[in-house]
């Protein structure tokens, strides 16, 4: 059973460019969340997708947008890249349980470097 | 003040030691509490998941939650060099919007 997969593994972009990161959730999971992890810090919540809609959003500007497809896979798009966007971008998938709990399983991440 | 505070360490212990990792939080609405382990240049791996106050044990790992004190702990018994990693606490009010601590870097030396 494949876990959460993300592509690409690494990416180098220039300030002002746009980037798209991709995520495939764990089999059977229907909810995808995206996090940004700066070096030496814990992950920060960007947004969450369920049933192809953004359900929750963290404190990130509109330059960060996303999409979820009918097969539950997801994309994260970042426009007008800034140097401060350099980070590890993590995708997590989860399945909502009857209890309301969300056990989230993370992918390996995409390391984005903005120069 | 951050919602979740975690001592970044680093923490260095000899093999076989008992390790105690801790987080405090300020948001009383947090209901779900998690511990993740993250190896260098990898994604976080879910270790323990608990709901509300109490203890949960899984092999060498024990998670404790004290909601009255807004304090959670992870204990690792008989620590091994393979336990060397960054440990992240995470919390959720509901719906899966996790708030993480900064992470504690643990090194277990032979």
């Amino acid at each position: 059973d494949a876990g959460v997969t993300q592509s690409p593994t690494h990416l180098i972009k220039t300030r002002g460019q746009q980037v798209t990161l991709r995520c495939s959730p764990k089999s059977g999971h229907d909810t995808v969340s995206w996090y940004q992890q700066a070096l030496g810090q814990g992950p920060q919540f960007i947004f969450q997708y369920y049933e192809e809609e953004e359900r929750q959003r963290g404190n990130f500007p509109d330059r960060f947008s996303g999409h979820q497809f009918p097969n539950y896979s997801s994309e994260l798009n970042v426009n007008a890249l800034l140097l401060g966007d350099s980070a590890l971008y993590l995708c997590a998938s989860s399945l909502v349980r009857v209890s309301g709990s969300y056990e989230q399983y993370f992918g390996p991440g995409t390391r984005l470097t903005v120069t | 003040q951050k919602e979740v505070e975690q001592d970044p360490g680093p923490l260095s212990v000899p093999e076989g030691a008992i390790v105690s990792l801790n987080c405090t939080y300020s948001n009383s609405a947090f209901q779900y509490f998690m511990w993740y382990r993250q190896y260098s240049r990898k994604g976080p791996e879910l270790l323990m998941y608990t709901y509300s106050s109490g203890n949960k044990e899984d092999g060498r790992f024990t998670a404790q939650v004290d909601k009255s004190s807004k304090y959670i702990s992870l204990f690792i018994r008989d620590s091994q060099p393979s336990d060397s990693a960054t440990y992240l606490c995470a919390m959720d009010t509901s719906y899966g919007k996790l708030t993480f601590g900064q992470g504690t870097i643990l090194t277990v030396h032979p």
Side-chain angles (χ1 to χ4, degrees):
Chain A
D1 176 27
V4 180
T5 60
Q6 293 186 244
S7 63
T9 304
H10 296 91
L11 206 51
I12 299 175
K13 289 287 188 178
T14 302
R15 190 172 50 185
Q17 287 187 316
Q18 179 264 342
V19 68
T20 297
L21 310 181
R22 295 176 176 82
C23 170
S24 290
K26 185 177 170 66
S27 177
H29 285 187
D30 59 5
T31 301
V32 173
S33 302
W34 287 91
Y35 293 81
Q36 180 195 66
Q37 186 177 25
L39 199 62
Q41 301 296 317
Q44 285 199 298
F45 178 82
I46 303 175
F47 43 54
Q48 181 185 84
Y49 277 85
Y50 173 71
E51 293 188 342
E52 302 180 48
E53 291 191 358
E54 182 183 293
R55 184 163 62 178
Q56 297 189 83
R57 189 178 183 92
N59 189 25
F60 279 80
D62 292 345
R63 297 187 298 109
F64 290 77
S65 63
H67 189 77
Q68 185 179 35
F69 299 94
N71 67 352
Y72 307 120
S73 67
S74 176
E75 289 182 349
L76 164 65
N77 300 292
V78 187
N79 295 323
L81 285 167
L82 303 174
L83 297 179
D85 295 332
S86 295
L88 180 68
Y89 287 85
L90 296 162
C91 169
S93 74
S94 53
L95 178 65
V96 180
R97 300 190 182 279
V98 173
S99 62
S101 64
Y102 283 64
E103 291 183 24
Q104 294 194 28
Y105 295 87
F106 284 82
T110 294
R111 184 159 299 280
L112 172 65
T113 301
V114 182
T115 61
Chain B
Q1 182 185 2
K2 293 182 178 179
E3 277 191 295
V4 179
E5 299 277 0
Q6 183 176 7
D7 186 342
L11 187 61
S12 181
V13 301
E15 183 175 355
I18 296 174
V19 176
S20 173
L21 304 166
N22 311 293
C23 287
T24 59
Y25 63 94
S26 57
N27 187 349
S28 58
F30 286 136
Q31 298 185 71
Y32 302 96
F33 304 89
M34 289 134 275
W35 286 96
Y36 286 85
R37 177 174 63 194
Q38 186 173 27
Y39 292 113
S40 181
R41 310 188 79 79
K42 302 288 186 184
E45 172 193 0
L46 181 63
L47 286 176
M48 302 287 283
Y49 186 99
T50 55
Y51 170 68
S52 196
S53 285
N55 295 353
K56 184 174 184 179
E57 188 173 322
D58 184 1
R60 296 184 296 111
F61 298 91
T62 299
Q64 290 185 349
V65 175
D66 182 348
K67 291 190 72 178
S68 62
S69 301
K70 296 190 179 67
Y71 188 88
I72 71 170
S73 300
L74 177 71
F75 297 95
I76 307 174
R77 292 184 298 280
D78 187 25
S79 56
Q80 303 294 310
S82 59
D83 294 328
S84 298
T86 296
Y87 288 79
L88 295 156
C89 63
M91 306 180 189
D92 185 14
T93 55
S94 61
Y95 303 111
K97 179 182 175 181
L98 300 187
T99 302
F100 282 85
Q102 182 178 354
T104 299
I105 299 171
L106 171 67
T107 301
V108 181
H109 51 86

